[in-house]
């Protein structure tokens, strides 16, 4: 077997929806929808080993903590584990007053009654009824007519109504799903939903939830949006219904379909954290919520500590969150490419200098700090990286702000290390490469400052007098120049016949406060070579002296 040369012989394009006056393309999402997590039901039944009660409770508590107000806690008629967990939540008073739990049931009387029994004693709850309505299910699975399929929904709705009346102390909410909605005839889905509404008699003050699943994602997201807008326009008593979306990710566009579905008039979104669910998964609530966040819309879900959310989800599902998963993956805020690193570095510098909070950092659609991520992980260095990458790492790790020309010089040392090790370089690797390249705080240097004094001569020149350790011994030296740096250069020339010509000098504080150290950078010419030096000290003058000696050590080493 192989892929067909002519796939149209086996597959047909999904038909368009006749909606010439569609309005959704001109709309934007301006507020958060009602969110429902199906992690404890749809997500749970799609993992190799279903969660036990301990994991389900841990996941439930996480959902409450991040702000999910509607949680589908299970399929109580599936077995004792599900039933006991759900009834246990109720009996232990574990459901906060502002949270609605939901249970799912097929449209069968015994299953519906079991579902209501699992919620006995609840303050409030949602019972979610479903049956499949599409042609493939009617013709192939059930071998039923449209009338028979509609009657399944109506009969189930009557049982729901009666069960709710038998437990009047609970504030019951009803949800109905025309399962396989996305591949069913729109008018038939509306007909079935209207029949269910006739039984349950929702009102604007107590609406029914009509959930419209893309049970199998079979078309582009714009077609799903057309289906939702058509449904909303033609549903009788629309004001008494909350339109809910449940998208799957078979085509890789589950989030996009849910977003366009909201634009088309829906009110509610079902999904799982990080998109777990049957086959390719459900709509990822994290992705969709943070997509809104980056557009300035409060999603009313809190992922300030996204790594802890990931840790819990991975523990409960025993499935990893992919390294490239939007917003949450380990590598989604990481740049290895040199040009990307340079743009990000400049973006952060510009952000720190601007007078407002507007986020405009290249390659980063969201500030990683908003999700509890550290900036140190934004830029990482390997053999593909450029000078901007390791310069960023040095600045974040050591506070050093290398001049651009020094970055270019240091890049040769970093690339050599990366090629030699054949792996990603961490901050410690880069700091070690810098110390070695410029003889900073190392014991292998030829010239090492022991002590010095500076004075001013009668002619205005500066006089340097000091002791320098040379090859294990100490030597007293002195020299004269127009400034401290030139006097040290003159000293080295007179004492050790070193030819250094200063081309550029810069310095900056390392941190803030009176105890902050200083870093000094020196660009010199020695013969036909360009030599760089760096000095670090609590005193800026001493840092500049160390920078000259650093350059001298580089000159003799090379």
């Amino acid at each position: 077997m192989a892929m067909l040369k002519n796939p149209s012989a086996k597959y047909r394009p999904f038909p368009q929806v006749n909606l010439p006056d569609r309005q959704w393309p001109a709309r934007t999402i301006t507020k958060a929808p009602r969110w429902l997590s199906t992690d404890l039901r749809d997500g749970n039944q799609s993992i190799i080993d279903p969660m036990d009660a301990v994991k389900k409770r841990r996941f439930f508590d996480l959902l409450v903590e991040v702000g999910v107000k509607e949680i589908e806690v299970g399929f109580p008629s599936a077995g004792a584990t599900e039933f006991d967990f759900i009834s246990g939540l109720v009996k232990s008073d574990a459901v906060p007053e502002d949270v609605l739990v939901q249970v799912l049931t097929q449209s069968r009387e015994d299953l519906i009654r079991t579902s209501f029994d699992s919620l006995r004693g609840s303050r409030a709850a949602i019972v979610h009824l479903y049956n499949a309505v599409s042609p493939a299910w009617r013709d192939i699975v059930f071998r039923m007519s449209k009338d028979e399929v509609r009657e399944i929904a109506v009969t189930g709705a009557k049982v729901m109504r009666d069960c709710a009346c038998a437990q009047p102390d609970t504030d019951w909410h009803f949800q109905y799903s025309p399962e396989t909605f996305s591949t069913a005839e729109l008018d038939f889905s509306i007909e079935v939903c209207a029949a269910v509404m006739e039984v349950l008699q929702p009102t604007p003050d107590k609406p029914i939830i009509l959930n419209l699943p893309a049970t199998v994602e079979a078309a582009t997201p714009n077609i799903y949006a057309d289906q939702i807008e058509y449904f909303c326009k033609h549903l009788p008593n629309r004001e008494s219904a909350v339109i809910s979306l449940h998208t799957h990710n078979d085509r890789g566009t589950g989030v996009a379909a849910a977003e366009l579905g909201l634009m088309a008039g829906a009110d509610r979104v079902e999904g799982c954290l990080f998109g777990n669910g049957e086959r390719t998964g459900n709509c990822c609530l994290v992705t969709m919520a943070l997509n809104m966040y980056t557009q300035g819309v409060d999603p009313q879900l809190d992922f300030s500590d996204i790594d802890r959310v990931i840790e819990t989800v991975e523990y409960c599902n025993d499935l990893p969150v992919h390294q490239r998963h939007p917003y949450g993956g380990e590598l989604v805020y990481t740049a290895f490419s040199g040009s990307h690193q340079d743009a990000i570095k400049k973006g952060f510098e510009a952000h720190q200098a601007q007078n407002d909070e507007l986020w405009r950092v290249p390659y980063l659609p969201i500030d990683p700090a908003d999700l509890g991520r550290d900036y140190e992980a934004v830029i990482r260095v390997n053999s593909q990286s450029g000078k901007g990458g390791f310069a960023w790492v040095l600045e974040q790790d050591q506070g050093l702000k290398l001049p651009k020309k020094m970055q270019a010089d240091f890049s040769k040392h970093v690339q050599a290390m990366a090629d030699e090790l054949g792996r990603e370089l961490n901050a410690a690797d880069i700091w070690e490469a810098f110390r070695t390249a410029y003889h900073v705080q190392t014991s292998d240097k030829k010239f090492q400052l022991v002590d010095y004094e500076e004075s001013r001569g009668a002619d205005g020149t500066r006089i340097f007098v000091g002791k320098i350790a040379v090859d294990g011994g100490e030597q007293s030296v002195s020299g004269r120049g127009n400034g401290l740096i030139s006097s040290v250069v003159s000293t080295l020339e007179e004492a050790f016949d070193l030819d250094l010509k200063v081309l550029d000098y810069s310095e900056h504080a390392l941190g803030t406060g009176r105890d902050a150290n200083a870093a000094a950078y020196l660009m010199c010419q020695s013969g036909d070579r360009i030599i760089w030096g760096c000095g670090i000290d609590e005193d800026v003058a001493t840092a500049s002296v160390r920078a000259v000696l650093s350059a001298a050590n580089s000159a003799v080493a090379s």
Side-chain angles (χ1 to χ4, degrees), residues 446-449 464-470 475-481 484-502 522 524 531 544-556:
K446 181 177 179 67
F447 306 111
Q448 186 165 340
L449 181 66
F464 173 86
V465 178
K467 287 185 178 180
I468 295 178
V470 183
Q475 183 170 334
S476 296
V477 293
S478 63
R480 184 186 298 263
L484 175 60
I485 292 176
S486 63
S487 67
V488 179
V489 170
S490 176
T491 297
L492 294 174
E493 183 177 4
E494 293 174 11
F496 306 108
D497 196 28
L498 272 179
D499 175 26
L500 291 177
K501 179 182 179 183
V502 177
L522 199 67
C524 299
I531 302 293
S544 64
V545 174
R546 295 189 187 279
V548 177
L549 293 177
S550 168
N553 281 305
S554 295
V556 297

Side-chain angles (χ1 to χ4, degrees), residues 129 150-165 174 176 191-203 208 237:
L129 179 77
R150 182 180 62 251
E151 187 58 31
I152 291 175
V154 170
T155 300
K158 290 177 180 178
V159 177
M160 279 214 308
R161 178 195 61 196
D162 296 342
C163 287
C165 290
F174 301 127
Y176 173 70
E191 178 185 330
V192 175
C193 288
V196 170
M197 292 173 72
E198 280 291 324
V199 173
L200 298 175
Q201 292 294 301
T203 66
I208 187 174
N237 202 15

